[in-house]
Amino acid sequence: MKKFERLDGLVAPLDRANVDTDLIIPKQFLKSIKRTGFGPNLFDELRYLDEGYPGQDTSSRPLNPDFVLNQSRYQGAQVLLARRNFGCGSSREHAPWALDDFGFRVVIAPSFADIFYNNSFKNGILLITLDEATVERLFQETEASEGYRLDIDLDAQTITTPSGDVIAFDADPFRKHCLLEGLDDIGLTLEQSGAIRDFESRHRAAQPWLFRDA
Amino acid sequence: MSSRTLYDKLWAQHLVTSRDDGSALIYIDRHLLHEVTSPQAFEGLRLAGRKPWRRDANLATPDHNVPTTLKERSAGNAGILDSVSRIQVETLDANCESFDIEEFRINDERQGIVHVVGPEQGATLPGMTVVCGDSHTATHGAFAALSHGIGTSEVEHVLATQCLIAQKMKNMQVRVEGKLGLGVTAKDIVLAVIGRIGTAGGTGYAIEFAGSAIRELSMEGRMTICNMAIEAGARVGLVAVDDNTIEYLRGRPYAPSVEQWPAAVEAWRNLVSDEGAHFDKVVELDAAEIEPQVTWGTSPEMVVNVSATVPDPAGASDETVERGMKRALEYMGLEAGQKITDIQLDKVFIGSCTNSRIEDLREAAKVARGRKVADNIQLAMVVPGSGLVKRLAEAEGLDKIFIEAGFEWREPGCSMCLAMNADKLGAGERCASTSNRNFEGRQGYGGRTHLVSPAMAAAAAIEGHFVDVRDYDYAPAATMSA
């Protein structure tokens, strides 16, 4: 997976709770058999005024001027500030693929849906959970000052605001380790093949009906 | 040993290794695959030169992209007119062939929605861990199987290692005691639960559904409930094993053989939460108080009783919720205070992994029998969950009831639940749907979805607007001959 250590990035605010993965990347784009190329269709139904299709040239589509990511001050944003329960709904990993392809490396919200949370880490995207009041404060600061950036240090587990305030965040130790090192977790798991085989033989002996080739 | 919940037991039975930091490796017994979330995983295996760890743990079927019209379907994959969809289905076929994975292809009678097919084949068994690259994998928890949706990277991980890196969830019990009213179904229970705890209420939890109302449900009803645990934020929904579970599985193709059966049943009997087991959270509902439910907004938690009115955002708990409600009303084209039963519909969809099993079709047919779909309904469709459900329904004459009433009787697949195939809503079209998500654009760009039970959807088709199905001449399930 892609490494994540530290990022000083422009922040874009998406002021909406319960952003579901259908909204992050609508179903018609899930027909792709690739992992890349989803960025132009990130938040497709919010970003454009027309209906999008896979394989279309998005450069000529009418943009929704009210949508935050279409505003010039947020171009090049790498940090997405969001509201509670971000990423709910479908398990589509196309959602983090689209965020990544668009250029986001960090999402900050009061809470995330479980499957989206896992999927994001597998793609080197750092999700940071902060309390509602802190998220609200970041929304206000982001909207109040153009060019608002946050300096995010995963190793130190800190976010530093432009005024120098430091906000600490929690990080799951295993995921943190994998992100910092950019580890391939299939490779990591296969290092434990012996333990898996041992488990498997005990499991088979106890419940042979779980194995059709028995 | 101290008292344990069903989830604690299932977790412990699959724990391969655990680390001090709380992450663990758990063993996966059953991996279900479909065409949408697997191609990149197979490609990853191929690039790394890896092979599936255990081929017999995997079972695949195409469901999201398949057409449901007989004309297209009879041509097999070639009948998928959208070439991008067709390539995805063909890719699944090719991957299953090259990695030697069993697949029920498009016109195999066993094909269907993966969450209908697994239990129907007995490929979902109590005590298993079941995963699939689809959030509605929670469905299989109805069999006391630890089941949840995973992303594509995890699909690849399971294929390569037969394990998942996981963290133990917290335990929640949702207890529904008492007797459901006539015409009130499993779908109404789960929508009422979501309305109560919210769409993030179950985040981080495995929810066990318990209580007399759950024990009274058929396996189909329990699957409907566990299916939508994810709409309450919980990846896992569970129901303890009882006689219903065991009898449902007896004789199914992937179920234990006659020789293995007694030992399997003995092991399954232990798959219940122990008396006094600790739940981190308990939610209680009185079944008798649950009315037929209808969603009015763009999140499954935006749900009310059929007798209610569309809620007013002014009564919201905070500003974020209020803004969400306003946006939902605007998207849905509704006004606060409007009666639910005054909402006029354009289309009706009966199907999806939530409600496309035989019992669902029987419930809908009871309402449709001898009646006609209203003139303002442009399309009312019934999409069985699998080829075998379709055959059984036809043997019972349900197809004729639907067709005579003016419904379209289709071929199995996910269909208009998420509209990846040709079945979709047009912009502004309003649909009564037995599916699981009313998100913006879910059933088609600009489409407006109201989630309801099969009986409620059928009644809405007949009347052209929502009605309280309890006002219908509605025979209880027990009096229908199976």
Side-chain angles (χ1 to χ4, degrees):
Chain A
M1 94 172 47
K2 208 190 298 189
K3 266 193 190 191
F4 186 100
E5 293 169 302
R6 188 169 182 159
L7 173 80
D8 178 19
L10 183 71
V11 184
L14 183 62
D15 192 3
R16 175 173 178 136
N18 298 319
V19 169
D20 57 73
T21 54
D22 276 77
L23 204 60
I24 297 173
I25 182 87
K27 84 289 244 115
Q28 62 269 36
F29 305 107
L30 273 49
K31 298 180 185 187
S32 166
I33 56 173
K34 298 185 183 140
R35 274 175 192 264
T36 52
F38 297 102
N41 301 108
L42 175 72
F43 298 119
D44 200 85
E45 292 181 6
L46 300 176
R47 235 164 114 188
Y48 304 99
L49 294 169
D50 62 349
E51 183 179 2
Y53 299 94
Q56 184 183 20
D57 173 13
T58 53
S59 61
S60 56
R61 292 177 61 193
L63 292 172
N64 175 3
D66 296 332
F67 183 56
V68 67
L69 296 184
N70 289 334
Q71 294 166 15
S72 60
R73 61 182 284 196
Y74 297 120
Q75 297 312 302
Q78 291 178 289
V79 179
L80 185 65
L81 189 60
R83 296 289 186 183
R84 68 184 79 132
N85 199 29
F86 187 84
C88 61
S90 151
S91 65
R92 59 189 69 169
E93 197 162 317
H94 312 68
W97 292 338
L99 287 164
D100 178 54
D101 200 50
F102 184 87
F104 286 115
R105 299 298 320 280
V106 178
V107 187
I108 300 173
S111 59
F112 295 94
D114 288 338
I115 302 177
F116 175 78
Y117 193 79
N118 278 342
N119 286 343
S120 295
F121 275 99
K122 302 273 181 191
N123 290 281
I125 298 175
L126 175 63
L127 302 188
I128 300 177
T129 308
L130 297 176
D131 63 79
E132 296 256 5
T134 308
V135 170
E136 176 57 33
R137 179 188 134 199
L138 293 178
F139 263 97
Q140 287 175 11
E141 291 181 9
T142 303
E143 281 157 14
S145 106
E146 194 164 336
Y148 187 85
R149 302 174 77 83
L150 290 172
D151 182 5
I152 295 152
D153 184 338
L154 175 58
D155 193 31
Q157 295 180 218
T158 56
I159 300 171
T160 308
T161 70
S163 60
D165 277 0
V166 177
I167 302 164
F169 64 88
D170 288 332
D172 165 67
F174 177 73
R175 290 198 175 99
K176 176 179 170 180
H177 173 68
C178 291
L179 276 176
L180 286 172
E181 304 293 329
L183 295 174
D184 161 26
D185 58 5
I186 294 180
L188 275 183
T189 300
L190 286 173
E191 286 173 12
Q192 306 191 61
S193 291
I196 301 171
R197 297 244 178 252
D198 289 348
F199 176 91
E200 200 166 50
S201 358
R202 291 196 305 274
H203 201 52
R204 188 191 284 263
Q207 300 180 70
W209 54 86
L210 298 179
F211 294 76
R212 291 194 80 220
D213 61 354
Chain B
M1 190 177 281
S2 60
S3 300
R4 295 184 299 166
T5 65
L6 170 57
Y7 171 70
D8 294 338
K9 292 180 186 183
L10 292 168
W11 174 265
Q13 285 176 12
H14 292 88
L15 194 61
V16 178
T17 58
S18 55
R19 296 164 50 113
D20 294 342
D21 61 23
S23 75
L25 209 54
I26 60 164
Y27 187 82
I28 302 303
D29 295 308
R30 178 72 65 225
H31 185 202
L32 301 168
L33 298 111
H34 62 83
E35 77 277 19
V36 180
T37 55
S38 65
Q40 299 87 351
F42 282 115
E43 183 64 11
L45 280 190
R46 204 173 273 119
L47 289 172
R50 291 171 175 144
K51 284 191 161 48
W53 179 280
R54 211 188 105 199
R55 59 164 294 279
D56 73 304
N58 301 290
L59 180 63
T61 192
D63 54 9
H64 287 62
N65 281 280
V66 299
T68 60
T69 42
L70 191 57
K71 178 167 169 269
E72 277 74 28
R73 210 42 188 269
S74 53
N77 287 351
I80 307 176
L81 301 177
D82 176 346
S83 63
V84 193
S85 286
R86 189 171 62 245
I87 289 167
Q88 205 164 46
V89 173
E90 288 169 349
T91 303
L92 180 69
D93 292 354
N95 282 326
C96 288
E97 188 149 332
S98 68
F99 289 101
D100 195 23
I101 286 171
E102 185 166 16
E103 182 195 2
F104 301 153
R105 291 197 177 187
I106 188 166
N107 282 343
D108 188 313
E109 196 176 32
R110 299 167 297 175
Q111 178 274 343
I113 306 173
V114 71
H115 307 306
V116 174
V117 168
E120 180 174 79
Q121 291 295 320
T124 300
L125 294 173
M128 274 184 164
T129 40
V130 180
V131 295
C132 174
D134 190 291
S135 61
H136 292 110
T137 310
T139 309
H140 308 264
F143 292 85
L146 174 51
S147 316
H148 61 80
I150 55 177
T152 298
S153 294
E154 291 177 312
V155 168
E156 184 181 341
H157 193 280
V158 171
L159 283 168
T161 71
Q162 210 54 48
C163 290
L164 264 189
I165 298 170
Q167 283 180 309
K168 194 156 185 259
M169 301 172 205
K170 289 181 285 184
N171 282 287
M172 184 190 299
Q173 186 187 51
V174 171
R175 203 157 58 226
V176 191
E177 298 286 358
K179 212 169 160 41
L180 285 176
L182 204 60
V184 184
T185 65
K187 181 66 165 284
D188 302 301
I189 295 180
V190 72
L191 284 171
V193 169
I194 297 162
R196 168 83 74 85
I197 69 174
T199 186
T203 303
Y205 289 92
I207 298 181
E208 181 176 344
F209 296 94
S212 57
I214 304 295
R215 283 197 299 277
E216 285 293 309
L217 292 174
S218 65
M219 292 314 294
E220 284 86 351
R222 295 176 189 182
M223 283 189 258
T224 298
I225 290 193
C226 291
N227 171 276
M228 289 190 72
I230 187 66
E231 311 318 331
R235 273 186 297 166
V236 169
L238 288 167
V239 175
V241 167
D242 64 6
D243 291 343
N244 279 356
T245 325
I246 292 163
E247 287 315 309
Y248 178 96
L249 291 167
R250 192 188 294 274
R252 294 195 181 259
Y254 282 61
S257 63
V258 173
E259 296 75 38
Q260 293 169 333
W261 187 258
V265 169
E266 196 188 331
W268 295 347
R269 291 281 184 197
N270 184 43
L271 297 173
V272 298
S273 287
D274 296 330
E275 186 106 17
H278 173 73
F279 287 91
D280 303 284
K281 192 170 173 182
V282 176
V283 175
E284 294 179 67
L285 275 83
D286 180 353
E289 287 179 4
I290 299 174
E291 280 191 30
Q293 303 286 298
V294 181
T295 65
W296 58 268
T298 54
S299 164
E301 70 183 13
M302 294 172 167
V303 64
V304 290
N305 292 335
V306 64
S307 62
T309 55
V310 175
D312 190 341
S317 53
D318 68 35
E319 214 181 297
T320 304
V321 174
E322 185 181 342
R323 274 201 308 272
M325 289 175 74
K326 281 184 180 158
R327 192 166 42 229
L329 287 180
E330 192 182 340
Y331 181 85
M332 293 295 291
L334 296 172
E335 300 283 340
Q338 200 173 343
K339 283 176 73 174
I340 294 293
T341 49
D342 285 344
I343 297 174
Q344 298 284 315
L345 297 152
D346 304 305
K347 288 185 174 169
V348 173
F349 171 63
I350 297 173
S352 87
C353 59
T354 312
N355 282 128
S356 64
R357 298 179 182 82
I358 189 67
E359 179 183 280
D360 302 314
L361 306 189
R362 287 176 189 149
E363 288 288 307
K366 275 190 278 177
V367 174
R369 177 180 285 136
R371 297 188 168 105
K372 292 282 179 209
V373 169
D375 290 342
N376 60 309
I377 301 295
Q378 299 153 27
L379 172 70
M381 61 196 297
V382 183
V383 186
S386 71
L388 294 172
V389 169
K390 180 168 185 267
R391 184 173 71 179
L392 181 56
E394 289 174 352
E396 294 180 13
L398 304 186
D399 57 327
K400 291 196 179 59
I401 294 173
F402 287 123
I403 292 166
E404 278 165 19
F407 288 82
E408 291 193 12
W409 178 246
R410 296 288 187 93
E411 301 298 306
C414 299
S415 182
M416 207 161 72
C417 172
L418 87 167
M420 273 189 79
N421 70 352
D423 308 334
K424 54 185 77 165
L425 296 181
E429 282 181 342
R430 189 179 296 284
C431 180
S433 177
T434 66
S435 56
N436 40 57
R437 290 191 174 131
N438 50 354
F439 298 156
E440 286 183 23
R442 171 82 179 180
Q443 293 194 290
Y445 183 78
R448 294 162 169 168
T449 303
H450 296 272
L451 304 176
V452 288
S453 73
M456 282 286 288
I462 302 302
E463 300 299 327
H465 57 87
F466 287 115
V467 289
D468 188 338
V469 73
R470 295 175 299 177
D471 297 339
Y472 264 68
D473 176 16
Y474 191 82
T479 66
M480 280 286 286
S481 60

PDB file of all heavy atoms in Angstrom, chain B residues 332-352:
ATOM      1  N   MET B 332     -36.575  14.697  -2.577  1.00  0.00           N
ATOM      2  CA  MET B 332     -37.707  13.780  -2.692  1.00  0.00           C
ATOM      3  C   MET B 332     -38.968  14.469  -3.221  1.00  0.00           C
ATOM      4  O   MET B 332     -39.969  13.811  -3.528  1.00  0.00           O
ATOM      5  CB  MET B 332     -38.016  13.144  -1.337  1.00  0.00           C
ATOM      6  CG  MET B 332     -36.923  12.207  -0.825  1.00  0.00           C
ATOM      7  SD  MET B 332     -36.677  10.740  -1.858  1.00  0.00           S
ATOM      8  CE  MET B 332     -38.205   9.832  -1.557  1.00  0.00           C
ATOM      9  N   GLY B 333     -38.947  15.792  -3.298  1.00  0.00           N
ATOM     10  CA  GLY B 333     -40.124  16.513  -3.784  1.00  0.00           C
ATOM     11  C   GLY B 333     -41.304  16.391  -2.838  1.00  0.00           C
ATOM     12  O   GLY B 333     -42.450  16.219  -3.271  1.00  0.00           O
ATOM     13  N   LEU B 334     -41.036  16.457  -1.549  1.00  0.00           N
ATOM     14  CA  LEU B 334     -42.091  16.313  -0.539  1.00  0.00           C
ATOM     15  C   LEU B 334     -42.145  17.556   0.338  1.00  0.00           C
ATOM     16  O   LEU B 334     -41.181  18.323   0.424  1.00  0.00           O
ATOM     17  CB  LEU B 334     -41.814  15.087   0.347  1.00  0.00           C
ATOM     18  CG  LEU B 334     -41.844  13.722  -0.330  1.00  0.00           C
ATOM     19  CD1 LEU B 334     -41.370  12.646   0.642  1.00  0.00           C
ATOM     20  CD2 LEU B 334     -43.234  13.385  -0.858  1.00  0.00           C
ATOM     21  N   GLU B 335     -43.300  17.722   0.998  1.00  0.00           N
ATOM     22  CA  GLU B 335     -43.490  18.840   1.932  1.00  0.00           C
ATOM     23  C   GLU B 335     -43.663  18.275   3.336  1.00  0.00           C
ATOM     24  O   GLU B 335     -44.335  17.252   3.513  1.00  0.00           O
ATOM     25  CB  GLU B 335     -44.797  19.593   1.596  1.00  0.00           C
ATOM     26  CG  GLU B 335     -44.866  20.185   0.210  1.00  0.00           C
ATOM     27  CD  GLU B 335     -44.063  21.464   0.092  1.00  0.00           C
ATOM     28  OE1 GLU B 335     -43.778  22.075   1.142  1.00  0.00           O
ATOM     29  OE2 GLU B 335     -43.713  21.838  -1.042  1.00  0.00           O
ATOM     30  N   ALA B 336     -43.114  18.959   4.301  1.00  0.00           N
ATOM     31  CA  ALA B 336     -43.353  18.574   5.688  1.00  0.00           C
ATOM     32  C   ALA B 336     -44.853  18.612   5.957  1.00  0.00           C
ATOM     33  O   ALA B 336     -45.552  19.507   5.471  1.00  0.00           O
ATOM     34  CB  ALA B 336     -42.617  19.514   6.625  1.00  0.00           C
ATOM     35  N   GLY B 337     -45.353  17.639   6.698  1.00  0.00           N
ATOM     36  CA  GLY B 337     -46.768  17.625   7.059  1.00  0.00           C
ATOM     37  C   GLY B 337     -47.659  16.850   6.101  1.00  0.00           C
ATOM     38  O   GLY B 337     -48.813  16.557   6.402  1.00  0.00           O
ATOM     39  N   GLN B 338     -47.119  16.541   4.931  1.00  0.00           N
ATOM     40  CA  GLN B 338     -47.877  15.770   3.943  1.00  0.00           C
ATOM     41  C   GLN B 338     -48.155  14.357   4.486  1.00  0.00           C
ATOM     42  O   GLN B 338     -47.276  13.750   5.094  1.00  0.00           O
ATOM     43  CB  GLN B 338     -46.971  15.664   2.700  1.00  0.00           C
ATOM     44  CG  GLN B 338     -47.647  15.336   1.423  1.00  0.00           C
ATOM     45  CD  GLN B 338     -46.631  15.445   0.257  1.00  0.00           C
ATOM     46  OE1 GLN B 338     -45.552  16.043   0.379  1.00  0.00           O
ATOM     47  NE2 GLN B 338     -46.978  14.852  -0.860  1.00  0.00           N
ATOM     48  N   LYS B 339     -49.355  13.840   4.267  1.00  0.00           N
ATOM     49  CA  LYS B 339     -49.650  12.482   4.724  1.00  0.00           C
ATOM     50  C   LYS B 339     -48.917  11.463   3.858  1.00  0.00           C
ATOM     51  O   LYS B 339     -48.908  11.578   2.623  1.00  0.00           O
ATOM     52  CB  LYS B 339     -51.164  12.210   4.641  1.00  0.00           C
ATOM     53  CG  LYS B 339     -51.954  12.856   5.762  1.00  0.00           C
ATOM     54  CD  LYS B 339     -53.434  12.635   5.576  1.00  0.00           C
ATOM     55  CE  LYS B 339     -53.810  11.184   5.872  1.00  0.00           C
ATOM     56  NZ  LYS B 339     -55.293  11.014   5.820  1.00  0.00           N
ATOM     57  N   ILE B 340     -48.347  10.458   4.496  1.00  0.00           N
ATOM     58  CA  ILE B 340     -47.629   9.423   3.744  1.00  0.00           C
ATOM     59  C   ILE B 340     -48.574   8.753   2.738  1.00  0.00           C
ATOM     60  O   ILE B 340     -48.196   8.464   1.598  1.00  0.00           O
ATOM     61  CB  ILE B 340     -47.035   8.360   4.712  1.00  0.00           C
ATOM     62  CG1 ILE B 340     -45.937   8.992   5.582  1.00  0.00           C
ATOM     63  CG2 ILE B 340     -46.510   7.141   3.958  1.00  0.00           C
ATOM     64  CD1 ILE B 340     -44.681   9.426   4.864  1.00  0.00           C
ATOM     65  N   THR B 341     -49.816   8.534   3.155  1.00  0.00           N
ATOM     66  CA  THR B 341     -50.766   7.835   2.277  1.00  0.00           C
ATOM     67  C   THR B 341     -51.228   8.714   1.101  1.00  0.00           C
ATOM     68  O   THR B 341     -51.925   8.232   0.215  1.00  0.00           O
ATOM     69  CB  THR B 341     -51.989   7.349   3.080  1.00  0.00           C
ATOM     70  OG1 THR B 341     -52.474   8.434   3.873  1.00  0.00           O
ATOM     71  CG2 THR B 341     -51.617   6.187   3.982  1.00  0.00           C
ATOM     72  N   ASP B 342     -50.835   9.978   1.088  1.00  0.00           N
ATOM     73  CA  ASP B 342     -51.161  10.844  -0.058  1.00  0.00           C
ATOM     74  C   ASP B 342     -50.048  10.864  -1.106  1.00  0.00           C
ATOM     75  O   ASP B 342     -50.180  11.527  -2.137  1.00  0.00           O
ATOM     76  CB  ASP B 342     -51.400  12.291   0.415  1.00  0.00           C
ATOM     77  CG  ASP B 342     -52.752  12.433   1.108  1.00  0.00           C
ATOM     78  OD1 ASP B 342     -53.593  11.523   0.959  1.00  0.00           O
ATOM     79  OD2 ASP B 342     -52.957  13.448   1.806  1.00  0.00           O
ATOM     80  N   ILE B 343     -48.948  10.178  -0.811  1.00  0.00           N
ATOM     81  CA  ILE B 343     -47.818  10.212  -1.762  1.00  0.00           C
ATOM     82  C   ILE B 343     -48.125   9.317  -2.964  1.00  0.00           C
ATOM     83  O   ILE B 343     -48.321   8.105  -2.826  1.00  0.00           O
ATOM     84  CB  ILE B 343     -46.510   9.774  -1.068  1.00  0.00           C
ATOM     85  CG1 ILE B 343     -46.154  10.755   0.055  1.00  0.00           C
ATOM     86  CG2 ILE B 343     -45.375   9.667  -2.079  1.00  0.00           C
ATOM     87  CD1 ILE B 343     -44.956  10.329   0.904  1.00  0.00           C
ATOM     88  N   GLN B 344     -48.182   9.936  -4.149  1.00  0.00           N
ATOM     89  CA  GLN B 344     -48.478   9.224  -5.395  1.00  0.00           C
ATOM     90  C   GLN B 344     -47.194   8.650  -5.972  1.00  0.00           C
ATOM     91  O   GLN B 344     -46.140   9.285  -5.913  1.00  0.00           O
ATOM     92  CB  GLN B 344     -49.094  10.190  -6.414  1.00  0.00           C
ATOM     93  CG  GLN B 344     -50.421  10.797  -5.982  1.00  0.00           C
ATOM     94  CD  GLN B 344     -51.585   9.823  -6.091  1.00  0.00           C
ATOM     95  OE1 GLN B 344     -51.722   9.113  -7.090  1.00  0.00           O
ATOM     96  NE2 GLN B 344     -52.416   9.787  -5.056  1.00  0.00           N
ATOM     97  N   LEU B 345     -47.291   7.478  -6.580  1.00  0.00           N
ATOM     98  CA  LEU B 345     -46.102   6.782  -7.062  1.00  0.00           C
ATOM     99  C   LEU B 345     -46.114   6.615  -8.574  1.00  0.00           C
ATOM    100  O   LEU B 345     -47.173   6.672  -9.202  1.00  0.00           O
ATOM    101  CB  LEU B 345     -46.025   5.405  -6.386  1.00  0.00           C
ATOM    102  CG  LEU B 345     -45.855   5.526  -4.872  1.00  0.00           C
ATOM    103  CD1 LEU B 345     -46.448   4.328  -4.163  1.00  0.00           C
ATOM    104  CD2 LEU B 345     -44.403   5.721  -4.509  1.00  0.00           C
ATOM    105  N   ASP B 346     -44.902   6.392  -9.138  1.00  0.00           N
ATOM    106  CA  ASP B 346     -44.758   6.143 -10.571  1.00  0.00           C
ATOM    107  C   ASP B 346     -44.380   4.693 -10.871  1.00  0.00           C
ATOM    108  O   ASP B 346     -44.738   4.134 -11.890  1.00  0.00           O
ATOM    109  CB  ASP B 346     -43.683   7.055 -11.166  1.00  0.00           C
ATOM    110  CG  ASP B 346     -43.967   8.516 -10.896  1.00  0.00           C
ATOM    111  OD1 ASP B 346     -45.072   8.961 -11.253  1.00  0.00           O
ATOM    112  OD2 ASP B 346     -43.103   9.201 -10.307  1.00  0.00           O
ATOM    113  N   LYS B 347     -43.550   4.135  -9.972  1.00  0.00           N
ATOM    114  CA  LYS B 347     -43.060   2.774 -10.213  1.00  0.00           C
ATOM    115  C   LYS B 347     -43.044   1.983  -8.913  1.00  0.00           C
ATOM    116  O   LYS B 347     -43.030   2.569  -7.823  1.00  0.00           O
ATOM    117  CB  LYS B 347     -41.645   2.819 -10.813  1.00  0.00           C
ATOM    118  CG  LYS B 347     -41.639   3.312 -12.257  1.00  0.00           C
ATOM    119  CD  LYS B 347     -40.267   3.248 -12.901  1.00  0.00           C
ATOM    120  CE  LYS B 347     -40.403   3.621 -14.387  1.00  0.00           C
ATOM    121  NZ  LYS B 347     -39.090   3.827 -15.029  1.00  0.00           N
ATOM    122  N   VAL B 348     -43.054   0.658  -9.062  1.00  0.00           N
ATOM    123  CA  VAL B 348     -42.984  -0.221  -7.890  1.00  0.00           C
ATOM    124  C   VAL B 348     -41.979  -1.325  -8.194  1.00  0.00           C
ATOM    125  O   VAL B 348     -42.007  -1.929  -9.277  1.00  0.00           O
ATOM    126  CB  VAL B 348     -44.372  -0.822  -7.565  1.00  0.00           C
ATOM    127  CG1 VAL B 348     -44.261  -1.860  -6.452  1.00  0.00           C
ATOM    128  CG2 VAL B 348     -45.350   0.288  -7.167  1.00  0.00           C
ATOM    129  N   PHE B 349     -41.070  -1.533  -7.235  1.00  0.00           N
ATOM    130  CA  PHE B 349     -40.050  -2.576  -7.395  1.00  0.00           C
ATOM    131  C   PHE B 349     -40.121  -3.556  -6.228  1.00  0.00           C
ATOM    132  O   PHE B 349     -39.948  -3.169  -5.077  1.00  0.00           O
ATOM    133  CB  PHE B 349     -38.654  -1.929  -7.457  1.00  0.00           C
ATOM    134  CG  PHE B 349     -37.521  -2.925  -7.397  1.00  0.00           C
ATOM    135  CD1 PHE B 349     -37.359  -3.886  -8.392  1.00  0.00           C
ATOM    136  CD2 PHE B 349     -36.592  -2.898  -6.358  1.00  0.00           C
ATOM    137  CE1 PHE B 349     -36.315  -4.805  -8.343  1.00  0.00           C
ATOM    138  CE2 PHE B 349     -35.540  -3.804  -6.307  1.00  0.00           C
ATOM    139  CZ  PHE B 349     -35.403  -4.765  -7.299  1.00  0.00           C
ATOM    140  N   ILE B 350     -40.396  -4.808  -6.570  1.00  0.00           N
ATOM    141  CA  ILE B 350     -40.387  -5.867  -5.550  1.00  0.00           C
ATOM    142  C   ILE B 350     -39.229  -6.797  -5.896  1.00  0.00           C
ATOM    143  O   ILE B 350     -39.235  -7.450  -6.941  1.00  0.00           O
ATOM    144  CB  ILE B 350     -41.733  -6.630  -5.524  1.00  0.00           C
ATOM    145  CG1 ILE B 350     -42.861  -5.655  -5.124  1.00  0.00           C
ATOM    146  CG2 ILE B 350     -41.663  -7.820  -4.557  1.00  0.00           C
ATOM    147  CD1 ILE B 350     -44.261  -6.233  -5.210  1.00  0.00           C
ATOM    148  N   GLY B 351     -38.215  -6.801  -5.044  1.00  0.00           N
ATOM    149  CA  GLY B 351     -37.015  -7.588  -5.305  1.00  0.00           C
ATOM    150  C   GLY B 351     -35.905  -7.182  -4.366  1.00  0.00           C
ATOM    151  O   GLY B 351     -36.172  -6.617  -3.307  1.00  0.00           O
ATOM    152  N   SER B 352     -34.653  -7.484  -4.731  1.00  0.00           N
ATOM    153  CA  SER B 352     -33.412  -7.158  -4.004  1.00  0.00           C
ATOM    154  C   SER B 352     -33.052  -8.220  -2.968  1.00  0.00           C
ATOM    155  O   SER B 352     -33.882  -9.056  -2.598  1.00  0.00           O
ATOM    156  CB  SER B 352     -33.499  -5.810  -3.297  1.00  0.00           C
ATOM    157  OG  SER B 352     -34.071  -5.946  -2.010  1.00  0.00           O
TER     158      SER B 352
END
